[in-house]
Amino acid sequence: MRRVLGVDSGGSGLRAALAEAGNPGKADTEVSREPVRTGAAGIEAGHLLDQLLPMVRTLLDRAGGGTVSAVAIGAAGMATLGGELRAELPAALASSLGVRRLALAADAVTAYAGALGQQPGAVVAAGTGMIALGTDLTDWHRADGWGHLLGDCGGGAWIGRAGLEAALRAHDGRRGGSAALLARMESVFGPAPELPGLLYPRADRPAVLASFAPEVARCAADGDEVAADVLARAAGHIAEAAAAVCPPADEMPEGCEVALTGGLFKLGDPLLVPLRAELAGQLPYARPVSAAGDPLAGALLLAAALATDTLRLPRHPALLYVPTEQDR
Amino acid sequence: MRRVLGVDSGGSGLRAALAEAGNPGKADTEVSREPVRTGAAGIEAGHLLDQLLPMVRTLLDRAGGGTVSAVAIGAAGMATLGGELRAELPAALASSLGVRRLALAADAVTAYAGALGQQPGAVVAAGTGMIALGTDLTDWHRADGWGHLLGDCGGGAWIGRAGLEAALRAHDGRRGGSAALLARMESVFGPAPELPGLLYPRADRPAVLASFAPEVARCAADGDEVAADVLARAAGHIAEAAAAVCPPADEMPEGCEVALTGGLFKLGDPLLVPLRAELAGQLPYARPVSAAGDPLAGALLLAAALATDTLRLPRHPALLYVPTEQDR
């Protein structure tokens, strides 16, 4: 039985899924809650393998044996911190699992494959951060995803930060403040003067900021105009990123699917209503769709495409690396 | 001879100045390049005294002896991290220097005193960060100064960050980008994909962001509209902070002085022209003025006021702490 393995590595740990090559939608899954370490040389290949190989043996045992004919690994940071993975995993997976077909993908690419499969279009992946990825099946186009100080405009940390700024404006008596956001901020974090001391020493500052995004959505739903404006601006930024990566209208006579994936969209209507309006304005030929599957499903889909020689998504040295024989 | 001592403690070290109480404008100065340490209990009183006392002895020797009748110490972080200084310095300076008149001030208060003396008004102190402080001589009013993630709107880190965001928008093909800022960014930091790896691991991220502010000003001066818009928005934010702290028009029939101090204003006309326009719009009764002196001059002025029983600026437990006899 030809089996394929999909892997999703991120801040909350490592997930692996095994399926038959002809039916990647039906998979068995193993989860490790230990995030793969990132060292000076980037994501650590040895730490990933130490966790992954026992998970694969468990999955194969449960499946009744067989071999893995293709693997696709999606990882947060793959594009910039995946050098060691690209250097070591081809040979390591060939010797340990006998796998000769491998794809190493940025998590945005597995999110894309999970959301839209191998169709051209655009995917916005948004949680604490925000990145848009699009393809016409010839090239990848990426927009934003620069992190909380340089961009991720409209993502969870951006929305939370803008909400906290509006709260502190109200505290100071500056223009642009919101008493409702100030009240929520004090309820969540305590008195305003203590907030800097709570936030700045933390290593997970973007997550702390993003934790306030649901409060901004709640205030907007309750009619606070400042909070609604924060979400309207976020919607504008998200649509700008989608518009920058979507294949142009003249290449997509039947329109173009734009999928929204990630935890940010759980904010619901306070974000989604202005976002649909912004997408209609900035990308009138695009159809917003729900993601068909998650990044792990996308990794499985990539692995199945490798196994069946049907990979259509464009290869890329950082975003979707598919080593050739001489790389092993 | 009654002498007074002013001290300014900040990120670049410690400065102390000695003058005659009746002539605080004519001072002799000593400088230590070692910033006073901040520990778990805040700014370390022992580390400050270890540096300050030898400097005072040197100053007294050069002045031909005499005693110090009043000391004012301004320190960055005094309001939130000055607990140990407020607890230990009154007794320590009484026993070591025989000083019985002491003021412990936030650096924004010494900046205020240096800029406007003991007149009511408002001071904007801006460098990497941005804070506004105003008084009607009854209370202090503070606006912003919340740091680079929560505010400091319009300060150096804010301007640099907005400029880098616009550069990366151009890189991505997103709306709101500036090719001129992208070219400057690549010239300063290298290719765009490397910027996150350069910035995020640094401990001095706000300073790295602020280092790009002069490039934004240069692009604006060369006619780049996106850069000019960044500075126009910065000017709006700075004026908002000044407006929030300035005594109200009905209390100031002859108008109110607003002083601009700090390295940010070296950006020159690209910031100052829109800032003057914003101040005229938001604070029509205010007169923008240059700062008369720096924070060290402000500390000397406070010490002289203590020595001559002429302190008019309002006491405050965190911003301008003047311990009474029973605190020693």
Side-chain angles (χ1 to χ4, degrees), chain A residues 112 120-124 131-136 139-144 238-248 256-258 283 285, chain B residues 172-174:
Chain A
Y112 186 101
V123 169
V124 175
I131 188 170
L133 192 69
T135 184
D136 54 9
D139 284 316
W140 290 105
H141 299 279
R142 190 192 118 153
D144 213 341
I238 294 169
E240 283 159 4
V245 303
C246 207
C256 173
E257 293 195 333
V258 175
L283 267 176
Y285 61 101
Chain B
D172 292 349
R174 278 179 291 151

Side-chain angles (χ1 to χ4, degrees), chain A residues 142-144 146-150 153 161 164-165 168-169 171-175 192-193 195-196 199-200 205 209 237 240-241 244 278 282, chain B residues 142-144 146-150 153 161 164-165 168-169 171-175 192-193 195-196 199-200 205 209 237 240-241 244 278 282:
Chain A
R142 190 192 118 153
D144 213 341
W146 297 106
H148 72 294
L149 290 178
L150 297 168
C153 299
R161 191 180 59 71
L164 292 170
E165 183 189 314
L168 293 169
R169 284 177 176 271
H171 175 274
D172 292 350
R174 278 179 291 153
R175 201 162 68 176
L195 182 59
L199 174 66
Y200 290 110
R205 291 176 294 277
L209 296 172
H237 291 322
E240 283 159 4
E278 285 284 349
Q282 294 190 43
Chain B
R142 190 192 117 152
D144 213 343
W146 296 107
H148 71 295
L149 290 178
L150 297 168
C153 299
R161 192 181 58 71
L164 292 170
E165 183 190 315
L168 292 169
R169 285 177 176 271
H171 175 273
D172 292 349
R174 278 179 291 151
R175 203 162 67 175
L195 182 57
L199 174 65
Y200 290 109
R205 290 176 295 277
L209 295 172
H237 292 322
E240 282 158 3
E278 285 284 348
Q282 294 189 44

Side-chain angles (χ1 to χ4, degrees), chain A residues 81 107 190 257 266:
Chain A
L81 300 168
D107 57 346
E257 293 195 333
K266 291 182 191 149

Side-chain angles (χ1 to χ4, degrees), chain A residues 296-311:
Chain A
L296 183 61
L300 269 174
L301 185 142
L302 291 174
L306 282 180
T308 55
D309 277 325
T310 56
L311 184 66

Side-chain angles (χ1 to χ4, degrees), chain B residues 128-156:
Chain B
T128 298
M130 196 282 294
I131 188 170
L133 191 70
T135 185
D136 53 9
L137 301 188
T138 302
D139 284 316
W140 289 105
H141 299 278
R142 190 192 117 152
D144 213 343
W146 296 107
H148 71 295
L149 290 178
L150 297 168
D152 283 4
C153 299

